[in-house]
Amino acid sequence: TSSIIIAWLVFLSGCLLDLFFGYQNAILSGVGRIKESNKSLTLSRLVYLVLSSILLYLGFGLIGLGISKLVSAITHRCINLYFVKNVEVIGLASKQLVDKKSVNDSFNTMLKGSVKLGFNMFGSFMINKGNIFIISIYFPLQIVSSFGLTMQVMSMIINVSQTHFYTIFPLLSSL
């Protein structure tokens, strides 16, 4: 059981890094660097997919998945950091003075949309991942973990291919 706890802690560390540094994708998208944002996301997911496949093949099991998630999160952070440092607009925006009233107005305007988006994302999560919770009630852990791993690998393949497609979609549209 200690190896399971270690695996979950390593996996959780990767998830926390992804959440904590998620603002970098928003910065890149906000300054029009969507291609760079998608590149870093695609590369980090490919690192996760390849590394988890190798570690699972070598017999590392859940710890291998946790290590893969952590390495993927660190890779994503490093690539995003490289792209964010190359954005000149951020330096200019940070030197401008902003009054408190405009910040409050902007916050109040975005709050309603953010709350709706949060509910939408929670509903999407429950639709996509809720079956894991339901299946765990009726089936043993081995079947549930096998199903969860299969769903995770398939989800990663779909996300990588969609990200690549969305990156080159403007080029395809212009043809």
Side-chain angles (χ1 to χ4, degrees):
T1 60
S2 64
S3 64
I4 293 173
I5 292 172
I6 291 170
W8 277 111
L9 289 175
V10 173
F11 187 81
L12 180 65
S13 299
C15 290
L16 288 175
L17 280 177
D18 274 343
L19 286 173
F20 186 73
F21 293 116
Y23 70 91
Q24 292 175 334
N25 283 338
I27 289 173
L28 289 172
S29 297
V31 295
R33 302 282 176 98
I34 296 169
K35 184 176 181 180
E36 287 83 356
S37 176
N38 286 337
K39 278 183 183 179
S40 69
L41 193 60
T42 302
L43 288 173
S44 69
R45 287 180 176 167
L46 283 173
V47 165
Y48 177 74
L49 204 63
V50 170
L51 191 60
S52 62
S53 299
I54 292 170
L55 292 177
L56 284 173
Y57 181 75
L58 294 175
F60 282 90
L62 286 177
I63 293 178
L65 289 177
I67 291 170
S68 300
K69 181 66 176 173
L70 184 61
V71 170
S72 169
I74 292 170
T75 303
H76 192 215
R77 162 78 171 135
C78 292
I79 295 169
N80 272 348
L81 188 62
Y82 170 76
F83 286 137
V84 167
K85 282 189 174 183
N86 290 331
V87 174
E88 298 162 0
V89 177
I90 295 171
L92 296 173
S94 64
K95 294 178 183 174
Q96 295 176 350
L97 295 176
V98 180
D99 63 349
K100 200 171 192 176
K101 184 182 182 316
S102 65
V103 171
N104 285 338
D105 290 343
S106 297
F107 180 78
N108 290 332
T109 302
M110 291 187 297
L111 183 62
K112 290 179 185 176
S114 298
V115 169
K116 288 179 183 178
L117 183 62
F119 281 121
N120 188 359
M121 290 178 76
F122 178 73
S124 175
F125 172 79
M126 290 308 292
I127 288 171
N128 292 326
K129 307 291 184 201
N131 53 8
I132 297 289
F133 298 119
I134 295 169
I135 196 173
S136 66
I137 295 170
Y138 299 105
F139 292 100
L141 181 61
Q142 186 176 9
I143 293 173
V144 174
S145 61
S146 175
F147 176 73
L149 179 61
T150 304
M151 293 299 293
Q152 191 174 18
V153 169
M154 294 304 292
S155 174
M156 290 300 295
I157 292 170
I158 290 169
N159 286 334
V160 166
S161 62
Q162 281 180 339
T163 303
H164 178 68
F165 175 74
Y166 291 139
T167 302
I168 64 168
F169 184 73
L171 177 65
L172 293 175
S173 296
S174 67
L175 295 177

mmCIF file of all heavy atoms in Angstrom, residues 125-141 143-145 147-148:
data_model
loop_
_atom_site.group_PDB
_atom_site.id
_atom_site.type_symbol
_atom_site.label_atom_id
_atom_site.label_comp_id
_atom_site.label_asym_id
_atom_site.label_seq_id
_atom_site.Cartn_x
_atom_site.Cartn_y
_atom_site.Cartn_z
ATOM 1 N N PHE A 125 -16.468 17.590 -16.737
ATOM 2 C CA PHE A 125 -15.656 16.619 -16.003
ATOM 3 C C PHE A 125 -16.510 15.433 -15.566
ATOM 4 O O PHE A 125 -16.107 14.278 -15.707
ATOM 5 C CB PHE A 125 -15.008 17.276 -14.780
ATOM 6 C CG PHE A 125 -14.324 16.301 -13.876
ATOM 7 C CD1 PHE A 125 -13.070 15.820 -14.188
ATOM 8 C CD2 PHE A 125 -14.941 15.858 -12.709
ATOM 9 C CE1 PHE A 125 -12.429 14.910 -13.359
ATOM 10 C CE2 PHE A 125 -14.319 14.955 -11.873
ATOM 11 C CZ PHE A 125 -13.050 14.479 -12.196
ATOM 12 N N MET A 126 -17.691 15.702 -15.038
ATOM 13 C CA MET A 126 -18.556 14.619 -14.570
ATOM 14 C C MET A 126 -19.042 13.744 -15.726
ATOM 15 O O MET A 126 -19.177 12.535 -15.569
ATOM 16 C CB MET A 126 -19.741 15.177 -13.776
ATOM 17 C CG MET A 126 -19.341 15.759 -12.430
ATOM 18 S SD MET A 126 -18.360 14.634 -11.404
ATOM 19 C CE MET A 126 -19.564 13.391 -11.021
ATOM 20 N N ILE A 127 -19.277 14.355 -16.877
ATOM 21 C CA ILE A 127 -19.688 13.561 -18.032
ATOM 22 C C ILE A 127 -18.548 12.665 -18.496
ATOM 23 O O ILE A 127 -18.741 11.483 -18.786
ATOM 24 C CB ILE A 127 -20.162 14.485 -19.180
ATOM 25 C CG1 ILE A 127 -21.518 15.095 -18.820
ATOM 26 C CG2 ILE A 127 -20.258 13.716 -20.498
ATOM 27 C CD1 ILE A 127 -21.962 16.184 -19.770
ATOM 28 N N ASN A 128 -17.334 13.222 -18.544
ATOM 29 C CA ASN A 128 -16.190 12.463 -19.049
ATOM 30 C C ASN A 128 -15.610 11.485 -18.034
ATOM 31 O O ASN A 128 -15.152 10.407 -18.402
ATOM 32 C CB ASN A 128 -15.084 13.411 -19.514
ATOM 33 C CG ASN A 128 -15.475 14.179 -20.740
ATOM 34 O OD1 ASN A 128 -16.186 13.678 -21.597
ATOM 35 N ND2 ASN A 128 -15.020 15.413 -20.829
ATOM 36 N N LYS A 129 -15.615 11.833 -16.761
ATOM 37 C CA LYS A 129 -14.950 11.014 -15.746
ATOM 38 C C LYS A 129 -15.897 10.391 -14.737
ATOM 39 O O LYS A 129 -15.482 9.594 -13.908
ATOM 40 C CB LYS A 129 -13.922 11.853 -14.976
ATOM 41 C CG LYS A 129 -12.934 12.574 -15.833
ATOM 42 C CD LYS A 129 -11.988 11.634 -16.509
ATOM 43 C CE LYS A 129 -10.957 12.466 -17.274
ATOM 44 N NZ LYS A 129 -10.304 11.741 -18.308
ATOM 45 N N GLY A 130 -17.171 10.745 -14.794
ATOM 46 C CA GLY A 130 -18.130 10.221 -13.825
ATOM 47 C C GLY A 130 -18.303 8.715 -13.906
ATOM 48 O O GLY A 130 -18.603 8.057 -12.906
ATOM 49 N N ASN A 131 -18.078 8.153 -15.092
ATOM 50 C CA ASN A 131 -18.225 6.705 -15.235
ATOM 51 C C ASN A 131 -17.218 5.943 -14.384
ATOM 52 O O ASN A 131 -17.498 4.830 -13.946
ATOM 53 C CB ASN A 131 -18.116 6.299 -16.705
ATOM 54 C CG ASN A 131 -16.875 6.825 -17.371
ATOM 55 O OD1 ASN A 131 -15.990 7.371 -16.733
ATOM 56 N ND2 ASN A 131 -16.827 6.680 -18.681
ATOM 57 N N ILE A 132 -16.066 6.527 -14.098
ATOM 58 C CA ILE A 132 -15.090 5.879 -13.220
ATOM 59 C C ILE A 132 -15.658 5.744 -11.810
ATOM 60 O O ILE A 132 -15.499 4.706 -11.159
ATOM 61 C CB ILE A 132 -13.766 6.683 -13.179
ATOM 62 C CG1 ILE A 132 -13.113 6.730 -14.546
ATOM 63 C CG2 ILE A 132 -12.808 6.128 -12.149
ATOM 64 C CD1 ILE A 132 -12.530 5.431 -15.021
ATOM 65 N N PHE A 133 -16.335 6.785 -11.338
ATOM 66 C CA PHE A 133 -16.932 6.730 -10.002
ATOM 67 C C PHE A 133 -18.050 5.685 -9.939
ATOM 68 O O PHE A 133 -18.169 4.951 -8.968
ATOM 69 C CB PHE A 133 -17.474 8.106 -9.594
ATOM 70 C CG PHE A 133 -16.424 9.169 -9.497
ATOM 71 C CD1 PHE A 133 -16.484 10.289 -10.308
ATOM 72 C CD2 PHE A 133 -15.372 9.054 -8.608
ATOM 73 C CE1 PHE A 133 -15.519 11.281 -10.227
ATOM 74 C CE2 PHE A 133 -14.399 10.030 -8.518
ATOM 75 C CZ PHE A 133 -14.476 11.145 -9.336
ATOM 76 N N ILE A 134 -18.848 5.646 -10.978
ATOM 77 C CA ILE A 134 -19.969 4.697 -10.997
ATOM 78 C C ILE A 134 -19.481 3.268 -11.124
ATOM 79 O O ILE A 134 -19.961 2.366 -10.418
ATOM 80 C CB ILE A 134 -20.937 5.062 -12.154
ATOM 81 C CG1 ILE A 134 -21.569 6.431 -11.883
ATOM 82 C CG2 ILE A 134 -22.018 3.999 -12.305
ATOM 83 C CD1 ILE A 134 -22.323 7.001 -13.054
ATOM 84 N N ILE A 135 -18.502 3.027 -11.998
ATOM 85 C CA ILE A 135 -18.012 1.661 -12.216
ATOM 86 C C ILE A 135 -17.322 1.125 -10.955
ATOM 87 O O ILE A 135 -17.350 -0.072 -10.694
ATOM 88 C CB ILE A 135 -17.086 1.602 -13.448
ATOM 89 C CG1 ILE A 135 -16.905 0.161 -13.919
ATOM 90 C CG2 ILE A 135 -15.748 2.214 -13.173
ATOM 91 C CD1 ILE A 135 -16.145 0.030 -15.219
ATOM 92 N N SER A 136 -16.729 2.021 -10.154
ATOM 93 C CA SER A 136 -16.028 1.558 -8.949
ATOM 94 C C SER A 136 -16.990 1.031 -7.882
ATOM 95 O O SER A 136 -16.576 0.300 -6.982
ATOM 96 C CB SER A 136 -15.173 2.684 -8.372
ATOM 97 O OG SER A 136 -15.988 3.733 -7.913
ATOM 98 N N ILE A 137 -18.247 1.361 -7.999
ATOM 99 C CA ILE A 137 -19.236 0.851 -7.049
ATOM 100 C C ILE A 137 -19.542 -0.617 -7.329
ATOM 101 O O ILE A 137 -19.725 -1.418 -6.416
ATOM 102 C CB ILE A 137 -20.532 1.688 -7.117
ATOM 103 C CG1 ILE A 137 -20.248 3.119 -6.663
ATOM 104 C CG2 ILE A 137 -21.629 1.072 -6.260
ATOM 105 C CD1 ILE A 137 -21.400 4.070 -6.919
ATOM 106 N N TYR A 138 -19.540 -0.998 -8.603
ATOM 107 C CA TYR A 138 -20.018 -2.313 -9.002
ATOM 108 C C TYR A 138 -18.928 -3.314 -9.363
ATOM 109 O O TYR A 138 -19.191 -4.514 -9.374
ATOM 110 C CB TYR A 138 -20.973 -2.165 -10.200
ATOM 111 C CG TYR A 138 -22.180 -1.335 -9.879
ATOM 112 C CD1 TYR A 138 -22.302 -0.037 -10.351
ATOM 113 C CD2 TYR A 138 -23.197 -1.842 -9.070
ATOM 114 C CE1 TYR A 138 -23.409 0.735 -10.046
ATOM 115 C CE2 TYR A 138 -24.304 -1.076 -8.756
ATOM 116 C CZ TYR A 138 -24.408 0.207 -9.255
ATOM 117 O OH TYR A 138 -25.499 0.968 -8.939
ATOM 118 N N PHE A 139 -17.719 -2.861 -9.670
ATOM 119 C CA PHE A 139 -16.673 -3.771 -10.125
ATOM 120 C C PHE A 139 -15.462 -3.704 -9.214
ATOM 121 O O PHE A 139 -15.238 -2.693 -8.544
ATOM 122 C CB PHE A 139 -16.262 -3.425 -11.563
ATOM 123 C CG PHE A 139 -17.335 -3.713 -12.576
ATOM 124 C CD1 PHE A 139 -18.129 -2.692 -13.064
ATOM 125 C CD2 PHE A 139 -17.557 -5.008 -13.024
ATOM 126 C CE1 PHE A 139 -19.124 -2.946 -13.991
ATOM 127 C CE2 PHE A 139 -18.546 -5.269 -13.947
ATOM 128 C CZ PHE A 139 -19.334 -4.247 -14.439
ATOM 129 N N PRO A 140 -14.629 -4.753 -9.225
ATOM 130 C CA PRO A 140 -13.424 -4.752 -8.387
ATOM 131 C C PRO A 140 -12.378 -3.750 -8.883
ATOM 132 O O PRO A 140 -12.421 -3.287 -10.026
ATOM 133 C CB PRO A 140 -12.900 -6.186 -8.492
ATOM 134 C CG PRO A 140 -13.593 -6.807 -9.634
ATOM 135 C CD PRO A 140 -14.841 -6.036 -9.893
ATOM 136 N N LEU A 141 -11.413 -3.462 -8.026
ATOM 137 C CA LEU A 141 -10.405 -2.450 -8.282
ATOM 138 C C LEU A 141 -9.592 -2.747 -9.536
ATOM 139 O O LEU A 141 -9.261 -1.833 -10.299
ATOM 140 C CB LEU A 141 -9.476 -2.323 -7.069
ATOM 141 C CG LEU A 141 -8.371 -1.277 -7.151
ATOM 142 C CD1 LEU A 141 -8.967 0.112 -7.318
ATOM 143 C CD2 LEU A 141 -7.504 -1.337 -5.918
ATOM 144 N N ILE A 143 -10.452 -4.226 -12.352
ATOM 145 C CA ILE A 143 -11.217 -3.883 -13.555
ATOM 146 C C ILE A 143 -11.345 -2.369 -13.687
ATOM 147 O O ILE A 143 -11.194 -1.802 -14.771
ATOM 148 C CB ILE A 143 -12.599 -4.565 -13.535
ATOM 149 C CG1 ILE A 143 -12.431 -6.070 -13.664
ATOM 150 C CG2 ILE A 143 -13.496 -4.021 -14.625
ATOM 151 C CD1 ILE A 143 -13.708 -6.856 -13.502
ATOM 152 N N VAL A 144 -11.607 -1.707 -12.566
ATOM 153 C CA VAL A 144 -11.761 -0.247 -12.588
ATOM 154 C C VAL A 144 -10.449 0.427 -12.999
ATOM 155 O O VAL A 144 -10.443 1.348 -13.821
ATOM 156 C CB VAL A 144 -12.232 0.275 -11.212
ATOM 157 C CG1 VAL A 144 -12.254 1.797 -11.169
ATOM 158 C CG2 VAL A 144 -13.601 -0.277 -10.873
ATOM 159 N N SER A 145 -9.330 -0.046 -12.460
ATOM 160 C CA SER A 145 -8.047 0.566 -12.811
ATOM 161 C C SER A 145 -7.693 0.305 -14.269
ATOM 162 O O SER A 145 -7.158 1.179 -14.952
ATOM 163 C CB SER A 145 -6.937 0.066 -11.890
ATOM 164 O OG SER A 145 -6.783 -1.330 -12.020
ATOM 165 N N PHE A 147 -9.855 -0.119 -16.712
ATOM 166 C CA PHE A 147 -10.745 0.757 -17.473
ATOM 167 C C PHE A 147 -10.258 2.200 -17.414
ATOM 168 O O PHE A 147 -10.215 2.902 -18.429
ATOM 169 C CB PHE A 147 -12.172 0.647 -16.927
ATOM 170 C CG PHE A 147 -13.151 1.582 -17.580
ATOM 171 C CD1 PHE A 147 -13.607 1.360 -18.865
ATOM 172 C CD2 PHE A 147 -13.627 2.698 -16.901
ATOM 173 C CE1 PHE A 147 -14.498 2.226 -19.472
ATOM 174 C CE2 PHE A 147 -14.518 3.566 -17.499
ATOM 175 C CZ PHE A 147 -14.961 3.323 -18.786
ATOM 176 N N GLY A 148 -9.880 2.659 -16.228
ATOM 177 C CA GLY A 148 -9.407 4.033 -16.057
ATOM 178 C C GLY A 148 -8.139 4.302 -16.855
ATOM 179 O O GLY A 148 -8.000 5.359 -17.481
#
